[in-house]
Amino acid sequence: MPQNEHIELFQKRHGKRFDHDEVQRKKAARQPKKEAKMAQKLLGIKAKLFAEKRRKEKIQMKKAIKAHQEKLAKKKKPEEVPEGAVPSYLLDREGQSRAKVLSNMVKQKRKEKAGKWTVPLPKVRAQSDAEVFRELKSGKRQKKSWKRLVTKVTFVGDNFTRKPPKYERFIRPMGLRFNKAHVTHPELKATFCLPIIGVKKNPNSVMYTTLGVITKGTIIEVNISELGLVTQTGKVVWGKYAQVTNNPENDGCINALLLV
């Protein structure tokens, strides 16, 4: 390792921050705006170099997309001896077959980057903050109420410790904390009560995901080690994603469908 790679060395010794991935995602999301601002502000030779760099990047991107787009390809048929007599105008004609050539590597990567999966419930009803949180007034300053009580089902890990009441902004009631879900396997047509590992994505808001709020359409990760499913290499599958298909706060339980 070179002498000046302090960040890599620190990460190897102490690990990364908990919000490292989220910070990187936001940084990548801000990049286009930053580049647009630079393109407007730069002058002279710097502007020329920047424009040339961007032009080359766009050319490469267009080439990659064009190479992996679905298109028709003509293919010669293997020569076959026709039965019976063939008219003279068909003797010189070559047989061609049209086939769709699709290399979806780039499309797949872009889908994964966008976080789009084929899920049982592709569209869910949006839930506002007023529906999920209830305003809670406590302490001396009754005019300013900054505390919020979560009214939906939530998941918190085993090693979770609450903050002191003075500093706790979002309160997740114990009565609405769930750590197990009824997960249905679509191929086996069987339902299992499995422990929840974590909340992967709540479609309503990133804040709901970080708080572990579980509503209809939320993607949760469940522990399926007891089902005994194995990969092609023979390794036991430990965690798998499932989508919540009911309103847990109304039913008193979490029903989910496994994404296979």
Side-chain angles (χ1 to χ4, degrees):
M1 181 182 283
Q3 194 180 354
N4 58 350
E5 290 188 0
H6 308 297
I7 295 168
E8 287 81 355
L9 190 61
F10 183 86
Q11 283 177 353
K12 280 189 177 180
R13 283 178 183 163
H14 308 287
K16 295 176 183 176
R17 282 173 53 137
F18 291 127
D19 61 345
H20 174 78
D21 295 327
E22 186 67 15
V23 169
Q24 291 300 317
R25 184 190 67 76
K26 286 182 177 178
K27 193 177 179 182
R30 285 194 297 264
Q31 193 60 29
K33 286 187 177 180
K34 194 179 175 184
E35 286 181 355
K37 204 172 184 181
M38 281 177 71
Q40 286 176 335
K41 284 195 170 185
L42 288 175
L43 297 168
I45 188 70
K46 282 188 178 179
K48 285 182 181 178
L49 291 170
F50 182 78
E52 184 62 23
K53 185 188 162 192
R54 287 288 297 135
R55 190 180 72 85
K56 284 177 181 174
E57 281 176 9
K58 283 180 181 177
I59 288 167
Q60 288 301 320
M61 197 188 294
K62 281 180 183 176
K63 277 183 181 176
I65 292 167
K66 198 175 181 182
H68 293 87
Q69 271 179 343
E70 196 174 335
K71 54 190 175 189
L72 286 169
K74 291 178 182 178
K75 211 176 184 181
K76 285 185 182 179
K77 282 184 180 177
E79 289 184 12
E80 295 173 2
V81 180
E83 290 181 7
V86 180
S88 57
Y89 59 84
L90 289 178
L91 285 171
D92 297 332
R93 186 176 290 180
E94 289 180 345
Q96 284 183 346
S97 64
R98 287 173 177 266
K100 277 193 174 182
V101 178
L102 175 64
S103 172
N104 60 353
M105 188 177 70
V106 166
K107 288 181 185 176
Q108 196 66 32
K109 277 188 179 176
R110 284 168 76 189
K111 269 188 184 178
E112 283 171 14
K113 212 172 184 182
K116 293 176 183 175
W117 305 293
T118 50
V119 287
L121 300 174
K123 287 184 181 179
V124 287
R125 185 179 66 86
Q127 297 192 3
S128 63
D129 287 359
E131 193 178 344
V132 177
F133 303 121
R134 185 162 65 82
E135 196 177 298
L136 200 70
K137 292 186 178 181
S138 68
K140 292 178 184 177
R141 297 173 186 86
Q142 294 289 332
K143 289 179 182 178
K144 289 184 180 178
S145 57
W146 62 280
K147 288 195 175 189
R148 296 290 178 268
L149 186 77
V150 181
T151 59
K152 302 289 179 185
V153 166
T154 55
F155 168 79
V156 292
D158 298 330
N159 55 354
F160 170 73
T161 310
R162 280 182 67 176
K163 286 181 182 178
K166 189 180 178 182
Y167 303 111
E168 193 174 32
R169 174 159 161 72
F170 295 103
I171 300 161
R172 291 170 277 191
M174 289 293 290
L176 286 171
R177 289 186 194 175
F178 282 53
N179 54 12
K180 287 204 171 184
H182 301 129
V183 182
T184 305
H185 197 294
E187 290 171 6
L188 298 174
K189 305 287 185 205
T191 305
F192 308 94
C193 188
L194 303 173
I196 300 169
I197 298 170
V199 177
K200 175 67 181 172
K201 190 176 175 69
N202 191 315
N204 292 300
S205 169
V206 179
M207 186 172 67
Y208 299 169
T209 308
T210 51
L211 284 171
V213 177
I214 299 172
T215 53
K216 191 174 183 179
T218 304
I219 306 292
I220 57 171
E221 193 174 6
V222 289
N223 188 348
I224 60 160
S225 56
E226 62 185 62
L227 302 189
L229 297 175
V230 292
T231 59
Q232 291 177 343
T233 54
K235 290 181 180 177
V236 176
V237 180
W238 187 61
K240 215 160 175 58
Y241 295 134
Q243 189 181 32
V244 178
T245 54
N246 71 326
N247 292 309
E249 68 276 4
N250 296 344
D251 301 341
C253 66
I254 298 171
N255 297 335
L257 199 66
L258 202 69
L259 305 177
V260 290

